[in-house]
Amino acid sequence: MILWRLASSSLLCVSPFFITVDAFKRIPRDLFVHRYKYRIHDYRESPFENKCVFALMSSDTSKTSSGTTTGPSSLPLKATNSWLEDATNDFVYQRPIGTLLMDDVNEAKGLMSAWARRGEPLQVEFLLKRIIDDQNYGSNVSLSTQHYSIAIDAWAKSKHKGSAKRAQEIHDTIVLMHKETQNADLAPTVVSYSTLITAWIRHHPKDGMTQAELIFEEMKESWLSGKNNLVKPDATTISQLLNGYGKSVALSTNSEYSKDQVERAQDLFDCMEEWNISKSVFCYGALQNVYAQSQLPEAPFQAMRLLEALTNETTSIENTLQLREFDQAAENAEYYNLKNNTEPERDSRSYEDNSAKGSNFPQAGVAESIIAPTPDCNIGDHEKNADGKCNASMIDEDKMFLRPTIVNFNSVFNACAKSATLESCRLARDLLEVMPVKYGIEPVQLSYMLALQACVLCSSPSKHEIDHHHECAQLAMEILKVLEQASERQVEQRSSANQMPMLKDINDFQHSDALARVTLDAYNKVLTVLARMATLESIGQMEDLVLRMEERAFAFNRSRAGVAMPNKRTYNSILNAMIHLKLPHIEYDESKLIVTEMAEKGRELIKHMWNVSTFFNASENEYGEGGDWPYWCKPDSYSYTSVLRLYQKSILHGMGGVKAAENVDSLVCEMESLHDQGRLENAPDVAHYTIAIASWAQAISSFSDHSWREKKKMDQSHRTGEINARVYRCAQILSHMMERHKAGYYNCVPNARTYNAYLDALSRGHYFEEAERVLYHMLYQYNFVYKRNNNEMAPDTFSFNTVMIAMTRCMPSRSAIERNQQNDRAEAILDRLLEYCNNENLEVSPNQRSFSILINHYTSRSGGRMSQPLLGRYNPDERPYRAEAVLDRMIEWGRDIEGEDSLTNQYFLRVIDNFAYHHVPDGGERAERLLQCMKELQMRNNSRVVIDTNVVRHVMAAWAHSSHPQAAPRAEQYLDVLEEKTAKATVKCYEIVLQAWTRSRLSDIKASRALAVLQRLLDKHQNPENYNNTTSNSSMTFCKSLVINACSFVSVSSATQQADAFRIAVDVLKGMIDDEDAVSLSYGWFLQLCFRFKYIQLSERIEQVEVAFRDCRKRGLVNGFVWDKFVAVATPELLRSVVEESGHNEIADITSYRDLPDSWRCHKSSKNWR
């Protein structure tokens, strides 16, 4: 009691009931002997922030038989070793009711504050209830708002559920008691309101800001209306509200909400000047934190502008203080001159010395003048008292601490890290460089790590392109260089002083060089940025950086303080960069060599990691201080996985082949051996074995260990033998996994990916029957062994698709009947997939490849046109119908799952083109039906299905190659649509219509209609503004030749039709001869027409034949087709004259057109051989 009573008397300079540090220093040591070791507590420094939850004003008392009242019986007297609990029990139980004095109440306040700091609100209320019991008994004690504020603070710091509501109830009690009693001691204060706001913010960070804003509005209204001037908000209130905005923004995922909260925080901060509230450094820091948590792109620059504003305000205050010190020194000098007629010595803390040093911050003398201003100071234009003395309150006490700290700078770095833009990375780099020079504050370790984190997040693959990644990596390297320089300065200072300097105050702490260390985390962050860049240059930089780390570690392996030794993550980052290497735009062969080189370098890196581990293991044996370092550098399962993937990647790029697969195989065996020896922590698991199977599967079809010439010469049996050996190795690995699983290695059980890799090997090796068996085995295990509870064993879409691919990869020796059987089995796999997705595993669904495999197989032209029926269930001509049926199922699937965007034009075009290729009789009608389906899909906003000229052209081709009587008119109708509506008809469209008229059975109009179509084409070709496509001469010539061909197939029994057709053909050929654009096909078809038209006079026909052949001979376009038709139609006299002109004596001397003179003949190398 002596200490507290002494503290409540004249020794305390600030508070009547708390011991301050200054007062404590003046207490004699012999008086500091007390039963309880109370802690020093300054009420002003107590951070009131949190929430509360119970009602206060009830108290239970019990009287003893002697009539004395004791404390509450709810908490029994306990003997405990805690000094705080002992003091609390002593206060509550050892002092009878009605005997408390005000000094005792003040003592209880200290106990309550101690419990509040520990977050024990029930103990605080227990003490408060004891005082209330004494007050109700009639003692001359009273409570103040400060007691209740401590209770609110305790609930704010507690972890009880509903603490904020309890704090609100306590504060409402204060307000109600003050309203009823008008007791000034119970008036709510800024501390009670601020603590209540903190309670809501702490316990309800997401939605507590709404209640905190209501409390602040109530507080502001009470102050502005003049009802209670004690509740004027101060810097602490504002900083707590700003902290609340920061927490709400951090927990929000809505960018609009974050922007709104940032604007509210900015408005609140701006209103401090209007309300004449001094801005503390904590207010600046809290607003900077709001900017940082918003993660907006402009947040770093907003935080930086706030830091600049804080610095400018600090500089302004310091200049005023320095001016006051200078004026005081001048006044003192004048006084000494008058008294002693001598000049005083210049104070080392004068304004001139400070200016010479170039410091923007006050020195020790200036700080003393801030705390204890000189009464007689002369400050020029500042306000003075009536007697001419300086007003000590002209500089606000809160502004004495308005100096930026490292926390303000770290807030800027935090904003840069969360914003993660290239501009924020540049800002972080620049700020690190100028902090010691411009602001006089050295960055700490956290500053550098946040700047590096900004580079790491900015280099995320989803952020920027490769150019931005390159600059991020450059910035990270520059930040690391600055950190290394700071660390070197620290080492030099330590070596010169032989020990770390003592940190006297917070300023020494901020300026200490001991705070910058090059840690392993810093190196790994830079390596992460370089790994995401994933170029050859970045991999080289990573290797150099790791080499530098190793050199430092090897040089200081016995004194490990501050040495960043590479660990597994360091080396694995290099392997990760090799896996994701972005190859430059170089030749394909060179890129394959680079990928193979990366795989070999990865394996060498594994060996290097073992060597480093061995080195430090030897160091441990020699010096006995190896620690965990030998285990840090040892390769782990991820290291081996990375190298396995590198070899697999080399196979995919066509390099390595069997050699790479063998390397993968040997690495997995090495992992097994190392694990058995105890050198590798984890045994190979299912992922490693799956990579091995997939590597052998990919090596089956690569044959990259042979050149293409060797492949061409390779015997089929040799190729089959190699395939069988690789497939057999995959089966061996799968069997080995099952054996290890039975032996107790439970992470080796094959899963769906393992079986998929094996299915891929079987598919590439054309083992479709075995692939089908494995698929049904997977289905059996999933449905009956695992009861559909293990998704790791569930077949996926890839499983079914791979088996269907195996079915469609028919060996060349298989017959058409066997191919049809495989088609049936492939469609059965598709049926099983749809059943599996609908009834057994709803998480799996077919994709477009599931249908396109069969569509591409049926529309493939590798088998050619096969119009002759074969034995078996299906005729090969039914392939177009099969493709159409699969496409219908694909459309139905797309409609059911709303995945119509998976449908594209290519599937429709392949099926429609297949109708034309196989000359399906009703191909035109079927193509029109598919065109109607495309229209329906397009109306449903399927952006990938577009009806354009290409689609219409394929429908026209289907009509042109069908056997429908009206095929040619229907094709011409589509041509009319293209000309009228889209005006995008190409030459190919006219060519298809002309082919349709050539095949048409409407012999009475086919010649005239073909000529009309040709005339439309010529008209478009002569008007370029109506024709957007570039037309080649060969296409126009072929269209003209098609008219001649159409004329040649009119009815042979109608003289009128032959006469009209002959006239049209002669005119067309004459025009082509005049234009010199006739080709061999044009002459051949015209000679064929002359041979077929018997109703035309022979002399007239022979005349035109002679003209056509001589022009063809003159241009050197005679080929086999032309010569055969000429021999068939020419008269003996004409034939004899042509033979003599060719240099032969008899017609028998010319067995083929090759016996003709070279100047007559047309070679296939000529562009006009067609």
Side-chain angles (χ1 to χ4, degrees):
M1 295 296 295
I2 296 176
L3 179 63
W4 289 101
R5 289 174 181 174
L6 216 129
S8 63
S9 61
S10 61
L11 291 179
L12 287 183
C13 60
V14 175
S15 174
F17 29 73
F18 288 114
I19 302 178
T20 62
V21 177
D22 295 335
F24 176 74
K25 292 179 180 178
R26 299 195 294 270
I27 299 176
R29 293 293 298 173
D30 55 347
L31 295 180
F32 198 72
V33 179
H34 195 265
R35 179 181 176 183
Y36 308 110
K37 300 177 181 178
Y38 295 107
R39 293 188 179 181
I40 301 171
H41 178 68
D42 188 351
Y43 182 76
R44 295 177 304 166
E45 298 177 356
S46 177
F48 291 106
E49 348 165 25
N50 269 358
K51 318 174 184 180
C52 314
V53 196
F54 291 68
L56 260 191
M57 297 308 297
S58 62
S59 62
D60 296 331
T61 59
S62 60
K63 291 188 177 182
T64 63
S65 58
S66 60
T68 59
T69 305
T70 63
S73 59
S74 57
L75 291 179
L77 178 63
K78 296 184 295 182
T80 174
N81 296 326
S82 172
W83 71 268
L84 186 57
E85 292 184 1
D86 289 344
T88 303
N89 290 330
D90 176 63
F91 181 86
V92 174
Y93 296 106
Q94 301 300 324
R95 304 180 188 186
I97 295 292
T99 61
L100 294 182
L101 303 176
M102 285 304 300
D103 291 341
D104 299 324
V105 174
N106 293 334
E107 177 186 350
K109 188 184 301 183
L111 295 175
M112 292 168 62
S113 299
W115 282 115
R117 285 195 300 272
R118 289 162 173 76
E120 295 291 343
L122 297 179
Q123 297 288 351
V124 174
E125 291 203 20
F126 185 53
L127 288 167
L128 191 60
K129 184 175 183 296
R130 174 65 180 83
I131 300 173
I132 295 174
D133 289 342
D134 217 85
Q135 187 179 19
N136 294 337
Y137 188 81
S139 299
N140 189 20
V141 294
S142 62
L143 293 172
S144 66
T145 307
Q146 293 177 349
H147 295 85
Y148 294 99
S149 298
I150 295 174
I152 296 174
D153 183 43
W155 283 109
K157 292 183 174 66
S158 73
K159 298 180 180 180
H160 294 80
K161 186 178 180 181
S163 297
K165 295 181 180 179
R166 176 55 180 163
Q168 183 69 53
E169 291 176 2
I170 295 175
H171 193 270
D172 292 343
T173 301
I174 301 174
V175 175
L176 181 61
M177 287 192 302
H178 177 257
K179 184 177 180 181
E180 292 178 352
T181 63
Q182 296 298 318
N183 187 355
D185 293 336
L186 295 177
T189 63
V190 61
V191 176
S192 63
Y193 273 105
S194 300
T195 311
L196 180 59
I197 290 174
T198 304
W200 279 105
I201 292 174
R202 277 192 179 180
H203 290 272
H204 300 277
K206 191 172 183 179
D207 53 354
M209 274 308 299
T210 304
Q211 186 66 23
E213 288 178 343
L214 294 176
I215 296 171
F216 180 71
E217 289 297 328
E218 177 185 345
M219 176 183 182
K220 186 174 64 174
E221 181 183 359
S222 179
W223 165 58
L224 294 176
S225 62
K227 297 179 181 179
N228 188 356
N229 292 329
L230 298 177
V231 298
K232 177 186 177 181
D234 57 5
T236 303
T237 310
I238 302 300
S239 63
Q240 292 302 328
L241 285 170
L242 293 175
N243 287 333
Y245 284 120
K247 291 182 179 180
S248 64
V249 169
L251 296 175
S252 174
T253 57
N254 188 349
S255 59
E256 296 298 328
Y257 176 79
S258 299
K259 290 180 181 179
D260 178 68
Q261 294 296 92
V262 170
E263 292 177 359
R264 286 172 175 265
Q266 181 64 56
D267 294 341
L268 179 63
F269 185 81
D270 295 338
C271 288
M272 293 181 69
E273 295 183 2
E274 178 184 349
W275 298 330
N276 196 21
I277 301 175
S278 299
K279 298 177 181 177
S280 67
V281 67
F282 303 105
C283 297
Y284 283 94
L287 184 57
Q288 285 179 313
N289 183 56
V290 174
Y291 290 144
Q293 298 297 339
S294 66
Q295 301 184 9
L296 298 174
E298 64 274 8
F301 304 97
Q302 291 175 328
M304 187 62 196
R305 284 194 294 269
L306 204 61
L307 178 62
E308 292 288 347
L310 174 60
T311 305
N312 295 335
E313 189 167 352
T314 302
T315 304
S316 175
I317 296 174
E318 289 167 356
N319 291 338
T320 301
L321 296 172
Q322 290 173 354
L323 178 62
R324 182 171 64 182
E325 183 179 356
F326 175 77
D327 292 341
Q328 178 63 29
E331 184 175 343
N332 293 339
E334 182 179 358
Y335 171 78
Y336 283 114
N337 287 336
L338 293 175
K339 184 175 182 180
N340 301 327
N341 198 18
T342 58
E343 182 178 359
E345 296 182 0
R346 183 179 300 275
D347 192 347
S348 61
R349 298 168 299 188
S350 64
Y351 175 78
E352 290 83 353
D353 287 356
N354 291 337
S355 301
K357 293 178 183 179
S359 174
N360 293 329
F361 295 93
Q363 305 299 322
V366 178
E368 291 176 2
S369 65
I370 294 177
I371 298 174
T374 306
D376 298 329
C377 64
N378 182 13
I379 58 171
D381 296 335
H382 288 285
E383 181 182 358
K384 293 185 178 181
N385 292 330
D387 55 355
K389 302 294 182 180
C390 175
N391 188 357
S393 63
M394 61 187 174
I395 302 295
D396 195 342
E397 183 180 358
D398 293 336
K399 292 186 178 181
M400 295 191 301
F401 303 99
L402 191 63
R403 175 180 179 180
T405 64
I406 192 61
V407 177
N408 299 103
F409 289 92
N410 285 346
S411 297
V412 179
F413 291 120
N414 188 28
C416 293
K418 290 184 176 296
S419 176
T421 61
L422 204 55
E423 293 75 11
S424 63
C425 295
R426 297 194 193 103
L427 175 62
R429 187 270 317 271
D430 296 340
L431 186 57
L432 284 174
E433 293 178 350
V434 303
M435 276 180 65
V437 179
K438 183 177 179 182
Y439 301 101
I441 297 180
E442 282 286 347
V444 296
Q445 186 68 25
L446 181 60
S447 309
Y448 292 101
M449 300 309 294
L450 287 173
L452 290 174
Q453 184 67 15
C455 297
V456 171
L457 296 178
C458 182
S459 63
S460 176
S462 60
K463 282 282 182 181
H464 302 295
E465 300 297 332
I466 183 65
D467 295 337
H468 293 78
H469 291 172
H470 178 78
E471 187 169 355
C472 284
Q474 187 67 26
L475 291 171
M477 293 291 289
E478 293 176 2
I479 294 172
L480 180 62
K481 184 178 179 180
V482 175
L483 176 57
E484 288 178 339
Q485 293 174 353
S487 179
E488 291 173 0
R489 291 197 304 269
Q490 165 194 343
V491 173
E492 293 176 359
Q493 292 179 1
R494 181 185 301 176
S495 61
S496 61
N498 294 327
Q499 61 180 358
M500 292 301 298
M502 296 297 293
L503 302 180
K504 298 180 180 179
D505 55 13
I506 187 63
N507 294 329
D508 292 336
F509 180 81
Q510 292 175 355
H511 292 271
S512 175
D513 289 335
L515 300 175
R517 293 183 297 106
V518 186
T519 60
L520 177 62
D521 193 21
Y523 279 113
N524 284 342
K525 286 183 182 298
V526 178
L527 290 171
T528 301
V529 178
L530 292 172
R532 288 176 176 176
M533 187 177 172
T535 61
L536 293 175
E537 179 185 1
S538 66
I539 293 176
Q541 292 176 342
M542 294 174 70
E543 292 174 348
D544 295 340
L545 187 59
V546 174
L547 180 61
R548 190 167 60 188
M549 295 173 64
E550 290 176 348
E551 291 175 352
R552 290 168 58 94
F554 293 156
F556 301 98
N557 67 85
R558 294 194 63 185
S559 58
R560 294 183 172 84
V563 178
M565 174 62 198
N567 60 358
K568 300 173 186 177
R569 177 186 170 188
T570 306
Y571 295 104
N572 289 342
S573 61
I574 301 179
L575 294 172
N576 186 44
M578 292 179 179
I579 294 174
H580 299 92
L581 175 64
K582 300 179 179 67
L583 294 173
H585 298 288
I586 56 179
E587 295 182 0
Y588 180 67
D589 294 338
E590 187 176 354
S591 66
K592 293 192 296 184
L593 293 175
I594 292 175
V595 173
T596 306
E597 181 183 357
M598 288 295 109
E600 296 299 330
K601 289 180 68 174
R603 187 156 193 177
E604 291 297 327
L605 186 59
I606 291 284
K607 296 179 181 178
H608 178 72
M609 293 173 69
W610 282 115
N611 294 335
V612 173
S613 175
T614 304
F615 173 81
F616 285 104
N617 193 18
S619 174
E620 179 182 11
N621 295 333
E622 180 179 358
Y623 304 110
E625 51 182 30
D628 294 333
W629 279 21
Y631 306 98
W632 286 8
C633 307
K634 287 198 311 183
D636 56 2
S637 59
Y638 179 82
S639 308
Y640 279 94
T641 304
S642 301
V643 180
L644 294 176
R645 291 180 61 188
L646 284 172
Y647 278 115
Q648 186 181 14
K649 188 177 180 180
S650 67
I651 299 175
L652 293 175
H653 280 74
M655 290 294 291
V658 175
K659 183 178 180 181
E662 290 174 350
N663 289 332
V664 171
D665 212 325
S666 64
L667 276 175
V668 176
C669 295
E670 178 183 336
M671 292 181 66
E672 291 182 356
S673 175
L674 291 172
H675 177 70
D676 295 339
Q677 298 172 13
R679 300 177 62 190
L680 191 64
E681 182 178 358
N682 298 321
D685 56 14
V686 61
H688 301 95
Y689 292 108
T690 302
I691 293 176
I693 296 176
S695 300
W696 281 111
Q698 292 158 2
I700 290 175
S701 58
S702 66
F703 283 97
S704 55
D705 48 337
H706 302 288
S707 65
W708 70 272
R709 295 183 184 276
E710 292 175 342
K711 292 179 191 177
K712 191 173 182 180
K713 296 178 182 179
M714 189 182 299
D715 184 68
Q716 180 64 34
S717 61
H718 184 197
R719 290 171 58 90
T720 305
E722 287 191 356
I723 291 175
N724 293 339
R726 299 173 190 183
V727 175
Y728 180 70
R729 182 55 186 160
C730 294
Q732 281 183 324
I733 297 174
L734 185 62
S735 176
H736 178 68
M737 293 177 64
M738 296 179 180
E739 292 176 359
R740 287 181 65 85
H741 175 62
K742 293 179 181 178
Y745 296 94
Y746 298 109
N747 58 349
C748 293
V749 58
N751 55 19
R753 293 185 178 180
T754 311
Y755 282 108
N756 286 345
Y758 184 52
L759 287 173
D760 188 30
L762 295 174
S763 175
R764 295 172 187 267
H766 303 283
Y767 289 91
F768 65 92
E769 294 177 348
E770 178 67 14
E772 186 180 23
R773 187 190 66 80
V774 171
L775 176 63
Y776 283 106
H777 172 71
M778 294 173 65
L779 289 170
Y780 174 80
Q781 280 191 319
Y782 174 71
N783 288 321
F784 299 102
V785 177
Y786 295 99
K787 306 295 184 182
R788 302 180 184 177
N789 293 325
N790 188 355
N791 289 331
E792 290 291 328
M793 295 300 301
D796 55 9
T797 309
F798 180 84
S799 310
F800 291 90
N801 292 349
T802 306
V803 177
M804 284 191 286
I805 293 175
M807 295 290 184
T808 57
R809 285 176 174 171
C810 299
M811 296 296 287
S813 60
R814 297 188 181 275
S815 65
I817 296 177
E818 292 175 331
R819 291 180 181 180
N820 287 330
Q821 292 176 351
Q822 285 182 226
N823 291 339
D824 294 340
R825 296 170 74 171
E827 291 189 15
I829 297 296
L830 179 61
D831 297 336
R832 186 68 181 87
L833 171 61
L834 296 175
E835 179 185 357
Y836 174 75
C837 298
N838 294 330
N839 302 327
E840 300 172 20
N841 192 346
L842 301 179
E843 296 181 1
V844 179
S845 62
N847 52 21
Q848 61 176 0
R849 182 164 176 77
S850 306
F851 300 94
S852 64
I853 291 170
L854 295 178
I855 293 176
N856 295 338
H857 170 64
Y858 290 140
T859 58
S860 174
R861 299 183 180 181
S862 58
R865 297 188 183 92
M866 301 180 64
S867 57
Q868 298 296 325
L870 299 178
L871 296 177
R873 181 178 178 185
Y874 287 106
N875 187 329
D877 281 343
E878 293 184 356
R879 283 181 294 178
Y881 302 108
R882 285 178 176 265
E884 183 184 14
V886 175
L887 179 60
D888 290 339
R889 299 180 69 177
M890 186 177 185
I891 296 173
E892 182 180 359
W893 160 77
R895 288 172 178 169
D896 291 342
I897 65 172
E898 298 181 359
E900 296 172 346
D901 282 344
S902 299
L903 300 174
T904 59
N905 282 10
Q906 60 173 333
Y907 305 115
F908 291 93
L909 295 182
R910 288 185 71 92
V911 174
I912 294 174
D913 183 64
N914 209 33
F915 292 147
Y917 179 77
H918 289 282
H919 300 277
V920 176
D922 56 346
E925 297 174 350
R926 293 178 177 271
E928 279 193 356
R929 187 186 67 83
L930 293 179
L931 181 63
Q932 187 62 32
C933 292
M934 294 181 69
K935 291 180 180 179
E936 294 178 1
L937 293 175
Q938 193 174 18
M939 292 176 61
R940 296 184 181 183
N941 297 325
N942 189 339
S943 58
R944 302 183 65 186
V945 175
V946 179
I947 300 177
D948 53 9
T949 305
N950 192 33
V951 175
V952 177
R953 179 171 62 83
H954 279 74
V955 176
M956 294 166 61
W959 274 111
H961 293 83
S962 68
S963 59
H964 195 278
Q966 297 295 323
R970 296 298 300 271
E972 191 171 351
Q973 289 178 4
Y974 282 102
L975 181 64
D976 297 339
V977 172
L978 289 177
E979 286 183 341
E980 294 176 2
K981 294 186 178 180
T982 64
K984 292 183 179 180
T986 61
V987 178
K988 189 65 177 177
C989 299
Y990 292 93
E991 181 181 319
I992 292 173
V993 175
L994 290 173
Q995 290 177 349
W997 281 114
T998 301
R999 298 185 179 91
S1000 177
R1001 300 176 185 176
L1002 305 175
S1003 59
D1004 53 338
I1005 60 172
K1006 64 187 306 182
S1008 58
R1009 294 307 307 161
L1011 181 62
V1013 172
L1014 177 62
Q1015 190 61 42
R1016 291 163 63 179
L1017 174 61
L1018 294 176
D1019 294 341
K1020 274 191 169 291
H1021 184 56
Q1022 292 174 359
N1023 297 312
E1025 27 194 66
N1026 297 330
Y1027 192 73
N1028 299 327
N1029 300 84
T1030 303
T1031 306
S1032 62
N1033 293 331
S1034 60
S1035 300
M1036 295 293 297
T1037 301
F1038 184 66
C1039 290
K1040 296 177 183 179
S1041 302
L1042 285 174
V1043 176
I1044 298 176
N1045 190 28
C1047 294
S1048 64
F1049 286 98
V1050 298
S1051 177
V1052 296
S1053 60
S1054 174
T1056 305
Q1057 294 180 15
Q1058 288 188 6
D1060 295 339
F1062 185 76
R1063 176 179 53 80
I1064 293 173
V1066 169
D1067 294 340
V1068 172
L1069 182 62
K1070 183 178 180 181
M1072 296 177 69
I1073 293 174
D1074 294 341
D1075 297 337
E1076 296 183 356
D1077 59 352
V1079 294
S1080 300
L1081 201 58
S1082 309
Y1083 296 110
W1085 279 342
F1086 183 78
L1087 295 176
Q1088 174 183 268
L1089 178 143
C1090 294
F1091 175 77
R1092 287 173 52 86
F1093 285 5
K1094 303 298 183 181
Y1095 286 102
I1096 305 299
Q1097 295 293 330
L1098 180 60
S1099 58
E1100 187 177 357
R1101 283 187 289 152
I1102 295 301
E1103 179 183 359
Q1104 297 297 330
V1105 167
E1106 184 177 2
V1107 171
F1109 184 77
R1110 291 188 181 278
D1111 187 72
C1112 181
R1113 182 184 67 181
K1114 177 182 177 181
R1115 299 182 59 195
L1117 297 176
V1118 179
N1119 59 11
F1121 179 66
V1122 174
W1123 178 251
D1124 292 341
K1125 297 302 180 182
F1126 174 74
V1127 171
V1129 71
T1131 60
E1133 294 80 7
L1134 178 60
L1135 189 59
R1136 189 180 304 110
S1137 64
V1138 171
V1139 170
E1140 292 175 355
E1141 292 175 1
S1142 66
H1144 295 279
N1145 296 327
E1146 298 293 337
I1147 185 63
D1149 296 338
I1150 304 177
T1151 58
S1152 69
Y1153 83 101
R1154 293 182 179 84
D1155 297 329
L1156 297 175
D1158 290 341
S1159 59
W1160 292 14
R1161 288 186 287 117
C1162 177
H1163 302 279
K1164 285 192 175 182
S1165 59
S1166 174
K1167 64 180 181 179
N1168 294 326
W1169 76 273
R1170 181 178 175 183

